[in-house]
């Protein structure tokens, strides 16, 4: 580096690693910054790592990462990025929340990666704001934080609280920030160095479309699945769905048999059970609340159907998820 960059010209990032953070998102956060420095032959960016214990953090693949700091004040002008992953609900401590709120009071710009939006929402930073989170957390996040405007895109470049949904979406956000600060040409050059030639815009969807996910080739099936997904709390019957689509119930049954290899009723029940499982694993909602949220008439009925599908009762599923991580 030629040393021509002054300290005040360097953009700093403090990446706070929460236990069980995801290593892919971690790499995708730092490498674009390193490559930008390399390409410009000067320090555009610096980064430091922090954790609650101030010594190390363990990621979800079991590797241990040494950190530079504990929960200390972020240098003025730097951005604090919260990076978490699996078991985020169990990894949020009162001390962590207090630290984030203190940094907000100091005027620190704060962002979140992967499941980090859960931490910011728990701290009350995202009320009334747009944010994204990894798709596996969508069901629980919407139930717990209805005041947050959950966006199902890869990242949200909010001016105050940017969020990325994890994995390579983290690289998308970092490339966006590099392009905004130093121009599109540099962002493209960094992307090329990463052999990442499909950098996505903020409005790109996280998951495949219904057609891609289920291999749908029929418009009526796609519309029926969309109705089932949108109306889980008050499920529509097959005749109601058919009427909404302008086809007969018999035709709807034939279409599901041909394309989905099951009845509309079974497909809808599987969707509701998948959401129920997410809520059991991601939230502290009671089994009764989850049964209602997923359109089951009673807790008893929900438990019987859940056990038939997953070979475990909702109560036992919850108890297993509450075990301390090893």
């Amino acid at each position: 580096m030629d040393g021509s960059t002054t300290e005040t010209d360097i953009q700093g990032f403090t990446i706070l690693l929460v236990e069980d953070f995801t290593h892919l998102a971690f790499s995708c956060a730092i490498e674009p910054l390193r490559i930008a420095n390399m390409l410009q032959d000067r320090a555009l960016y610096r980064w430091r790592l922090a954790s609650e214990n101030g010594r190390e953090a363990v990621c979800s693949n079991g590797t241990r990462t040494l950190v530079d700091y504990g929960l200390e004040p972020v240098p003025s002008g730097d951005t604090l990025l919260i990076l978490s992953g699996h078991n985020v609900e169990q990894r949020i401590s009162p001390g962590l929340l207090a630290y984030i709120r203190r940094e907000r009071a100091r005027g620190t710009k704060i962002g979140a990666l992967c499941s980090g939006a859960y931490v910011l929402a728990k701290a009350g930073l995202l009320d009334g704001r747009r944010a994204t989170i990894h798709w596996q957390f969508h069901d629980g996040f919407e139930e717990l934080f209805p005041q947050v405007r959950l966006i199902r895109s890869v990242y949200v470049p909010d001016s105050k609280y940017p969020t990325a949904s994890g994995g390579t979406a983290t690289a998308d956000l970092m490339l966006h920030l590099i392009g905004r600060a130093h121009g599109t040409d540099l962002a493209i050059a960094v992307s090329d160095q990463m052999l990442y030639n499909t950098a996505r815009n903020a409005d790109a969807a996280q998951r495949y479309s219904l057609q891609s996910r289920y291999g749908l080739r029929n418009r009526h099936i796609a519309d029926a699945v969309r109705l089932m997904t949108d109306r889980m709390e008050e499920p529509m019957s097959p005749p109601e769905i058919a009427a909404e689509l302008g086809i007969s119930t018999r035709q709807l049954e034939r279409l599901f048999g041909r394309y989905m290899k099951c009845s509309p009723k079974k497909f809808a029940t599987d969707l509701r059970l998948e959401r129920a499982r997410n809520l059991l694993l991601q939230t502290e909602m009671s089994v009764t609340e989850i049964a209602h949220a997923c359109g089951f008439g009673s807790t008893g009925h929900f438990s019987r159907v859940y056990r038939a599908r997953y070979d475990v009762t909702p109560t036992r599923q919850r108890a297993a998820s509450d075990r301390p991580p090893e």
Side-chain angles (χ1 to χ4, degrees):
M1 307 220 174
D2 63 13
S4 61
T5 303
T6 65
E7 186 71 17
T8 56
D9 294 331
I10 302 174
Q11 172 63 54
F13 287 91
T14 295
I15 303 176
L16 176 57
L17 303 177
V18 180
E19 291 293 295
D20 286 329
F21 70 93
T22 54
H23 206 274
L24 178 57
F26 174 61
S27 298
C28 287
I30 290 179
E31 283 303 288
L33 305 179
R34 180 191 67 81
I35 294 171
N37 287 350
M38 178 190 72
L39 291 175
Q40 293 296 290
D41 196 29
R42 60 193 178 97
L44 300 178
Y45 297 101
R46 67 165 182 268
W47 53 90
R48 65 177 195 164
L49 306 180
S51 72
E52 189 164 6
N53 64 31
R55 300 184 303 277
E56 64 177 15
V58 181
C59 78
S60 57
N61 65 20
T63 60
R64 297 177 180 273
T65 300
L66 299 178
V67 301
D68 306 299
Y69 302 95
L71 301 183
E72 302 172 18
V74 174
S76 177
D78 282 14
T79 297
L80 172 65
L81 294 177
I82 311 299
L83 172 55
S84 57
H86 299 299
N87 303 313
V88 62
E89 310 92 331
Q90 302 173 37
R91 297 305 192 182
I92 300 176
S93 68
L96 178 61
L97 295 177
Y99 171 71
I100 292 172
R101 289 167 181 148
R102 286 198 304 272
E103 288 302 315
R104 176 183 58 177
R106 294 180 63 236
T108 301
K109 183 175 181 179
I110 305 174
L113 311 174
C114 196
S115 64
Y118 193 106
V119 184
L120 297 193
K122 190 79 171 179
L125 273 64
L126 298 180
D127 291 1
R129 305 190 78 93
R130 299 166 75 252
T132 190
I133 194 171
H134 191 280
W135 62 264
Q136 286 188 320
F137 294 90
H138 282 176
D139 289 335
F141 193 90
E142 287 182 318
E143 290 289 339
L144 291 173
F145 308 111
Q147 66 276 23
V148 180
R149 296 171 56 195
L150 179 63
I151 307 298
R152 297 171 184 267
S153 58
V154 289
Y155 67 92
V156 174
D158 185 278
S159 59
K160 193 171 185 180
Y161 303 117
T163 51
S165 55
T168 55
T170 304
D172 294 319
L173 174 61
M174 302 310 288
L175 289 169
H176 170 84
L177 296 177
I178 290 170
R180 189 168 66 186
H182 300 286
T184 303
D185 287 347
L186 179 58
I188 292 174
V190 171
S191 179
D192 287 343
Q193 284 288 321
M194 296 169 62
L195 300 181
Y196 188 57
N197 57 7
T198 56
R200 294 162 291 184
N201 293 324
D203 57 357
Q206 281 187 47
R207 303 187 71 179
Y208 293 117
S209 65
L210 289 172
Q211 286 83 355
S212 298
R213 185 181 181 192
Y214 296 111
L216 305 184
R217 295 295 181 269
N218 182 276
R219 176 175 58 84
H220 290 316
I221 288 286
D223 290 342
V225 172
R226 192 171 294 107
L227 287 172
M228 293 173 182
T229 303
D230 293 342
R231 293 285 300 274
M232 283 194 187
E233 191 166 332
E234 297 180 358
M236 300 174 69
S237 67
E240 290 173 329
I241 293 173
E244 183 76 19
L245 300 180
I247 61 177
S248 68
T249 303
R250 180 172 295 182
Q251 183 179 358
L252 182 68
E253 296 276 355
R254 285 201 304 266
L255 288 171
F256 267 82
R258 176 182 176 184
Y259 289 98
M260 312 308 289
K261 310 305 179 186
C262 66
S263 68
K265 182 177 180 180
K266 182 181 185 305
F267 188 87
T269 300
D270 285 345
L271 282 178
R272 290 155 57 203
L273 287 171
E274 181 182 356
R275 181 168 190 254
R277 188 172 187 274
N278 286 338
L279 294 178
L280 282 167
L281 297 176
Q282 298 171 13
T283 75
E284 297 180 358
M285 294 171 63
S286 69
V287 172
T288 300
E289 290 171 330
I290 292 172
H292 175 73
C294 296
F296 292 96
S298 69
T299 303
H301 175 58
F302 168 51
S303 295
R304 289 191 297 273
V305 177
Y306 193 94
R307 182 172 184 175
R309 175 66 173 80
Y310 294 111
D311 199 30
V312 64
T313 65
T315 301
R316 288 187 178 276
Q317 181 84 79
R318 168 62 58 72
S321 70
D322 285 343
R323 292 172 187 161
E326 297 180 357

